[in-house]
């Protein structure tokens, strides 16, 4: 079973985000970047599949030079090879155009299954997985919490309103994963040392033979970014415990309306 | 200024920090209260490969560079000082001594077990009556036929009551001073090896420290580690590496103290504003941040020299001395910033304050480090 996993490097969700003065992106100075959490689960799932059924795990990332760190982390967890799409033109792409580029990279390697995280924590778009399925003309299952592989098919469990939906899809397929599908392992030190010696294949958009003119050009334009409104300060209740509790319950019920 | 780390060194640090944040930090308080080594960390630490940092890959280790190892120990200590100390002593001292002085057969026999965490390693140099004066040790090893018989008591042995492999320094020639000391590998379960008192410590309480007693403890000839009479010299070289580990450990504790102090200073309000807005607090934070960065430079310089095969005795002593004293100041200021809350166990700085004291004592006191540095300066 050959599994391809698309990974994205994103700002650490705990890092304070500052928007650039031009409003077109975030100020990266002093920001810590990590592999998107959902993608860590996709990498873990791929490695577990390899450990059970053999085969290979190929990682693909598109992004600036620093994105190689996410690929190294995935290699250190146990992936076999990695493709890093690096191109100045990536900056101006919308999600669909990026999915076209990733599609070409996926098509350049043998695969039976494509795994992605359900979404990336930075832009929260959840577009890439479904778009890959469309461009690769493959069946898809999104936000999967359990994945069982059969002979030429896969059974995918999804949490839906009030229950679990079970889908059967033929392989190859694109599957995006939820965080509760597994518990990702930490990269091991020997794994990190091995990953250090594994070459990462760097490709440009042109290397992949993708022509983004015409329909591939961005159809979505970013108008601006704004920080969320500042959180109002908390309120301290003072007095006798019994009174304070009564007042707290009243506020929760009448003002916060959470009770 | 910061040392420029390579991509894989950053990944080592990031991975171990994340592990420490999730697996160690939340339990540190309970382990401290229990005062015993938490056996449940052995397997997860093994999965990360942290028991085999000094062991070559062909013998099951991670074979990582000295800078990565210092980063890993720093990251562990940020989560729990005692666990970091256990890992550091296991790697630098026990496994480190066998890597340095062991025969191919000894390496093949012991290093895979140590690297996998199947056996934890202990290193026995200090005795009840000899600490800084290590060459004054009284444990004897006497030849009987083709075997050696050990008698004596070792004190403050990290992993003393839980180790599977003990490296023991003993006197083989009573008339030859420090040239009359040899090292031996003794396995747990060897008749005559007895675990003595388990020490109830001020800090680093999640590391195991015990007395180890040898009573007519017989080992085969091939258990001698290194050449006869070279045990003390090898031990001193082992300690040079170990000091980088203690420096890194101090750095991790210092950073944990600073992180806690910054978080508390932002949150705690007095006179109508967060105390972080007061210069008295800001200056303490500024001094701590500056001193810890300086400590990091010294620790990583010593590690980089070790990695590139250059002499590092002076540098490792300077790193250990400065980092441990800087971290102690960091912890003291962090407690001060917390005020009354720093004096109780509800906040981590109280534990860090106690843990960090070990760094000024273990693997050569601050006074011994100054002695080594002064000798080099005056040479």
């Amino acid at each position: 079973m050959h599994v391809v996993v698309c990974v994205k490097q994103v700002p650490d969700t705990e890092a304070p985000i500052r928007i650039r003065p031009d409003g077109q992106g975030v100020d990266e100075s002093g920001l810590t970047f990590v592999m998107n959490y959902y993608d860590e689960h996709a990498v873990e799932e791929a490695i577990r599949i390899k450990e059970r059924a053999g085969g290979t795990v190929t990682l693909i990332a598109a992004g600036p030079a620093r994105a190689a760190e996410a690929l190294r982390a995935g290699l250190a967890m146990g992936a076999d090879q990695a493709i890093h799409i690096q191109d100045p033109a990536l900056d101006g792409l919308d999600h669909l155009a990026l999915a076209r580029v990733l599609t070409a990279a996926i098509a350049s390697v043998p695969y039976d299954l494509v795994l992605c995280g359900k979404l990336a924590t930075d832009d929260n778009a959840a577009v890439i997985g479904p778009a890959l399925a469309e461009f690769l003309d493959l069946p898809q299952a999104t936000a999967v919490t359990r994945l069982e592989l059969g002979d030429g098919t896969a059974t995918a469990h999804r949490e839906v309103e009030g229950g679990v939906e079970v889908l059967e899809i033929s392989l190859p397929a694109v599957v995006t994963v939820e965080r509760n599908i597994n518990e990702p392992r930490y990269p091991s030190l020997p794994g990190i040392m091995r990953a250090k010696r594994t070459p990462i294949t760097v490709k440009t958009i042109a290397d992949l033979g993708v022509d983004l003119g015409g329909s591939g050009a961005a159809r979505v334009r970013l108008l601006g970014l704004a920080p969320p409104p500042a959180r109002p300060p908390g309120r301290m209740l003072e007095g006798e415990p019994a009174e304070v509790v009564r007042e707290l319950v009243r506020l929760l019920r009448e003002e916060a309306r959470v009770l | 200024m910061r040392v420029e780390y390579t991509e894989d060194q950053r990944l080592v640090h990031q991975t171990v920090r994340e592990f420490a944040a999730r697996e160690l930090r939340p339990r540190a308080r309970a382990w401290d209260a229990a005062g015993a080594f938490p056996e449940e960390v052995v397997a997860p630490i093994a999965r990360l490969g942290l028991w085999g940092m000094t062991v070559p890959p062909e013998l099951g280790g991670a074979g990582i560079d000295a800078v990565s190892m210092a980063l890993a120990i720093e990251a562990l200590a940020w989560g729990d000082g005692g666990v970091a100390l256990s890992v550091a002593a296991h790697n630098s001292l026990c496994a480190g001594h066998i890597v340095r002085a062991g025969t191919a057969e000894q390496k093949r026999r012991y290093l895979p077990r140590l690297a996998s965490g199947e056996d934890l390693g202990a290193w026995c140099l200090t005795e009840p009556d000899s600490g800084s004066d290590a060459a004054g040790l009284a444990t004897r090893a006497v030849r009987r036929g083709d075997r050696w018989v050990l008698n004596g008591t070792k004190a403050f042995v990290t992993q003393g009551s839980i180790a599977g492999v003990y490296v023991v320094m003993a006197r083989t020639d009573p008339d030859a001073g420090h040239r009359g000391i040899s090292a031996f590998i003794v396995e747990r379960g060897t008749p005559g090896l007895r675990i003595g008192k388990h020490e109830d410590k001020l800090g680093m309480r999640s590391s195991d420290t015990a007395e180890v007693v040898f009573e007519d403890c017989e080992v085969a000839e091939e258990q001698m580690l290194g050449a006869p009479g070279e045990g003390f010299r090898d031990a001193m070289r082992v300690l040079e590496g170990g000091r980088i580990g203690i420096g890194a450990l101090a750095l991790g504790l210092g950073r944990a103290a600073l992180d806690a102090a910054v978080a508390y200073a932002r949150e705690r309000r007095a006179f109508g504003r967060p105390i972080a807005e007061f210069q008295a607090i800001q200056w303490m934070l500024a001094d701590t941040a500056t001193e810890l960065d300086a400590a990091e430079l010294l620790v990583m310089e010593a590690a980089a020299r070790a990695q590139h095969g250059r002499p590092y005795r002076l540098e490792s002593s300077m790193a250990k001395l400065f980092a441990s004293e800087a971290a102690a100041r960091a912890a003291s200021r962090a407690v001060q910033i917390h005020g009354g809350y720093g004096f109780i166990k509800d906040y981590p700085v109280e534990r860090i304050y106690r843990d960090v004291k070990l760094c000024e004592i273990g693997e050569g006191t601050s006074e011994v480090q100054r002695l080594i540095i002064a000798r080099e300066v005056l040479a």
Side-chain angles (χ1 to χ4, degrees):
Chain A
M1 179 75 68
H2 299 292
V3 187
V4 173
V5 188
C6 296
V7 302
K8 183 178 187 183
Q9 199 197 29
V10 297
D12 191 334
T13 49
E14 283 174 24
I17 303 290
R18 285 185 310 270
I19 292 166
R20 276 198 323 241
D22 68 5
Q24 291 292 303
V26 298
D27 179 2
E28 291 196 4
S29 59
L31 210 52
T32 323
F33 285 87
V34 296
M35 192 196 298
N36 175 37
Y37 293 146
Y38 290 93
D39 300 347
E40 276 184 16
H41 294 265
V43 174
E44 176 65 32
E45 196 63 20
I47 293 166
R48 288 186 190 188
I49 291 168
K50 182 179 89 164
E51 285 168 352
R52 277 198 308 268
T56 59
V57 176
T58 304
L59 308 177
I60 301 180
R66 59 169 165 72
E69 291 171 12
L71 292 172
R72 282 287 172 220
L75 289 169
M77 285 171 75
D80 302 282
Q81 49 186 347
I83 300 172
H84 184 179
I85 307 162
Q86 239 189 93
D87 198 309
L90 285 174
D91 265 353
L93 299 189
D94 61 15
H95 289 95
L96 279 184
L98 180 61
R100 283 197 186 281
V101 174
L102 290 169
T103 298
I106 294 166
S108 73
V109 296
Y111 65 92
D112 304 299
L113 178 66
V114 178
L115 291 177
C116 304
K118 176 179 87 166
L119 55 81
T121 53
D122 57 349
D123 60 22
N124 211 20
V127 168
I128 296 294
L132 290 177
E134 192 60 31
F135 294 146
L136 289 162
D137 196 19
L138 295 178
Q140 62 171 303
T142 54
V144 168
T145 55
R146 200 165 123 202
L147 183 65
E148 288 152 8
L149 298 177
D151 192 13
T153 62
T155 308
H157 294 237
R158 308 177 63 247
E159 274 169 20
V160 293
E161 188 66 40
V164 176
E165 180 182 70
V166 183
L167 303 176
E168 189 182 79
I169 48 177
S170 61
L171 294 177
V174 176
V175 172
T176 75
V177 304
E178 248 312 343
R179 287 191 72 178
N180 58 357
I181 190 169
N182 56 39
E183 185 59 41
R185 70 197 66 194
Y186 296 99
S188 70
L189 265 47
I192 292 171
M193 293 300 115
R194 205 172 39 243
K196 185 180 166 179
R197 295 188 297 269
T198 308
I200 292 177
T201 311
V202 179
K203 292 196 173 176
T204 62
I205 294 174
D207 291 341
L208 292 167
V210 182
D211 176 11
L212 288 171
S215 68
R219 288 178 288 183
V220 175
R221 191 159 55 87
L222 175 69
L223 296 181
L225 288 168
R231 213 165 43 164
R235 199 188 320 166
M236 293 294 288
L237 302 178
E238 281 169 26
E240 289 302 309
E243 286 169 33
V244 171
V245 168
R246 214 171 299 127
E247 178 63 4
L248 177 64
V249 171
R250 188 190 69 79
L251 289 171
L252 288 175
R253 187 170 284 149
E254 294 174 14
E255 290 196 12
R257 294 173 191 280
V258 293
L259 289 182
Chain B
M1 182 202 148
R2 280 287 162 85
V3 195
E4 198 54 45
Y5 298 118
T6 62
E7 197 177 273
D8 49 292
Q9 287 166 346
R10 284 202 302 275
L11 186 54
V12 166
H13 188 250
Q14 194 182 319
T15 301
V16 182
R17 261 291 178 101
E18 205 177 306
F19 171 78
R22 284 207 281 199
E23 316 289 337
L24 304 183
R25 207 161 213 227
R27 305 191 176 103
R29 185 180 168 192
W31 293 337
D32 175 62
F37 175 74
E39 292 281 349
E40 73 257 35
V41 301
V42 173
I45 287 175
R47 281 196 291 275
L48 280 173
L50 289 169
W51 295 119
M53 288 192 281
T54 47
V55 175
E58 60 273 20
L59 292 170
I64 62 170
D65 59 75
V67 170
S68 294
M69 179 162 147
L71 287 168
I73 293 172
E74 188 269 358
L76 283 175
W78 180 85
D80 186 278
V83 169
L85 179 64
S86 302
V87 171
H90 169 99
N91 273 285
S92 306
L93 304 182
C94 182
H97 198 144
I98 297 173
V99 168
R100 168 176 291 279
T103 61
E105 170 57 22
Q106 286 169 337
K107 289 180 186 175
R108 199 191 54 72
R109 185 147 174 214
Y110 293 106
L111 293 178
R113 283 151 62 175
L114 291 168
S116 69
E118 182 190 333
D119 278 327
L120 297 188
W123 194 72
C124 312
L125 176 66
T126 295
E127 299 185 354
D129 296 319
S130 67
S132 295
D133 177 22
L137 62 84
T139 295
R140 280 298 312 270
V142 177
R143 217 182 157 96
R144 188 185 294 161
D146 60 353
R147 302 177 74 77
W148 288 94
V149 182
L150 275 64
N151 274 290
T153 299
K154 294 294 180 177
F156 308 132
V157 179
T158 304
Q159 260 94 256
S161 58
I162 56 173
V165 176
Y166 296 79
V167 169
V168 186
M169 269 50 74
R171 187 166 295 289
T172 44
D173 181 348
D175 303 320
H178 71 270
R179 289 302 195 108
I181 293 169
S182 307
F184 297 87
I185 305 174
V186 185
E187 293 182 34
R188 185 186 192 83
T190 305
L193 166 66
R194 185 169 66 78
I195 312 305
K197 179 170 165 261
H198 172 264
E199 304 294 355
D200 188 9
K201 304 191 296 292
L202 170 73
M204 299 291 197
R205 294 173 54 80
S206 58
S207 69
D208 177 81
T209 309
E211 197 177 58
V212 180
V213 185
F214 299 90
E215 292 161 332
D216 289 327
C217 178
E218 246 186 63
V219 296
E221 198 172 33
E222 60 266 22
Q223 294 305 97
M224 185 182 275
L225 177 60
E230 292 295 319
F232 184 78
R233 290 211 334 189
D234 285 340
M236 291 303 112
R237 302 295 293 280
V238 166
L239 279 175
E240 285 177 25
R243 282 167 190 149
I244 299 173
I246 300 295
L249 202 162
L251 187 60
L253 285 169
R255 292 227 185 277
L258 176 61
D259 290 352
V262 167
Y264 186 81
R266 282 207 177 112
E267 187 182 281
R268 171 75 178 181
R269 296 175 71 85
F271 306 101
R273 59 176 101 160
I275 61 169
E277 290 179 15
F278 294 113
Q279 217 170 42
I281 303 294
Q282 290 174 357
W283 289 14
M284 283 197 260
L285 295 174
D287 286 345
T288 295
T290 306
E291 289 174 26
L292 292 179
D293 270 17
E296 181 175 348
L297 290 173
L298 282 173
V299 169
M300 296 310 165
E301 164 70 5
R305 289 182 70 95
Q307 189 171 316
H308 295 121
R310 291 156 66 198
Y312 60 95
R313 176 184 300 150
L314 173 67
E315 290 76 9
S316 69
S317 280
M318 285 177 165
K320 197 249 180 201
L321 171 67
F322 187 81
S324 58
E325 296 192 352
R329 287 191 294 273
S332 174
R333 290 186 196 116
V335 168
Q336 195 66 21
I337 288 169
H338 281 66
Y341 291 104
F343 204 66
I344 60 174
K345 293 184 188 294
D346 295 19
Y347 286 83
V349 292
E350 181 268 351
R351 185 187 70 253
I352 296 169
Y353 182 82
R354 290 181 285 108
D355 282 352
V356 76
K357 186 64 197 170
L358 180 275
C359 300
E360 296 176 283
I361 298 173
E363 300 193 28
T365 59
S366 284
E367 292 67 35
V368 163
Q369 306 315 323
R370 289 191 167 88
L371 194 73
I372 293 169
I373 295 164
R375 269 188 203 143
E376 297 273 337
V377 168
L378 293 169

